[in-house]
Amino acid sequence: MSASEEDRAQMSAEDFTRASTAIEAIIAAVRPDQWDTATPCTEWNLRQLVDHLVEVNYSLSGRFGGISSGAADEPAAAYRLSAQALRDALTLPGVLDQTYPGPFAHTTGDRQLQVRMADLLTHGWDLAQASGVPADLPADLVEDALGFVEKLAGAFARSGKFGAPQPVAPDAPVLDRLAALSGRVV
């Protein structure tokens, strides 16, 4: 791996770490009596949404050649372990440049990580809405995710994995704009 590839992989791992640390803080602040609370993802309650986040982290980690499963009883611990597995996988040589099968198409690890970040940050909004815990997510990463989703919103909506973009004020907070673009009613 060249120095520039190592730098890009390091930055990607750091960005994922920043995002996942913020998500973990939201999860850790959910009260025990809230786990059955409905979320903006109508098919999932809070516990099921966290289970989804854990599953996707392990799925992507496994796809990249890392750990593909783990277990913990407590949601924040389960999330933490899955995020660590993906962080570790992101440090494997060439992982961002290789092409992998994915939920939308065969794409590079870099593109799949962009999808993961957009999905993760959008679900951060979902977690915050359902739990009442503030979504203190890194604004620069949310901006990046918004730019990425803006380019692909139509394809995401057609995939059935995201809802159709919803109206939102152009001056709404960036996280609200990301959520609306991903099909959430803000």
Side-chain angles (χ1 to χ4, degrees):
M1 187 178 341
S2 71
S4 64
E5 289 172 326
E6 283 183 36
D7 289 345
R8 187 167 55 103
Q10 179 69 27
M11 285 180 56
S12 294
E14 288 172 5
D15 286 349
F16 177 75
T17 297
R18 290 173 49 223
S20 64
T21 298
I23 296 296
E24 184 183 335
I26 296 170
I27 295 168
V30 173
R31 294 186 323 269
D33 64 324
Q34 291 183 298
W35 288 114
D36 290 329
T37 302
T39 70
C41 296
T42 56
E43 68 273 18
W44 294 325
N45 63 31
L46 275 169
R47 180 61 176 248
Q48 292 164 328
L49 179 56
V50 172
D51 290 346
H52 165 72
L53 297 176
V54 168
E55 178 185 319
V56 174
N57 282 344
Y58 278 127
S59 175
L60 193 54
S61 173
R63 195 174 308 141
F64 288 169
I67 296 170
S68 61
S69 65
D73 291 333
E74 196 271 321
Y79 180 79
R80 184 178 325 107
L81 291 173
S82 72
Q84 184 62 53
L86 182 49
R87 276 193 297 274
D88 291 346
L90 290 170
T91 66
L92 297 173
V95 73
L96 296 178
D97 297 316
Q98 293 178 41
T99 298
Y100 306 89
F104 300 105
H106 285 61
T107 57
T108 63
D110 186 49
R111 177 55 60 104
Q112 291 196 20
L113 181 59
Q114 287 178 308
V115 171
R116 177 70 193 124
M117 291 289 285
D119 182 64
L120 181 63
L121 294 166
T122 301
H123 284 315
W125 183 88
D126 296 331
L127 289 166
Q129 294 299 306
S131 68
V133 175
D136 188 18
L137 303 174
D140 62 318
L141 299 180
V142 176
E143 282 282 354
D144 291 347
L146 177 63
F148 177 72
V149 173
E150 283 174 336
K151 293 177 195 168
L152 300 172
F156 284 163
R158 285 189 303 276
S159 75
K161 296 185 182 289
F162 289 78
Q166 299 296 309
V168 66
D171 62 344
V174 66
L175 185 56
D176 287 351
R177 294 192 333 257
L178 175 62
L181 197 57
S182 299
R184 277 63 171 176
V185 176
V186 176

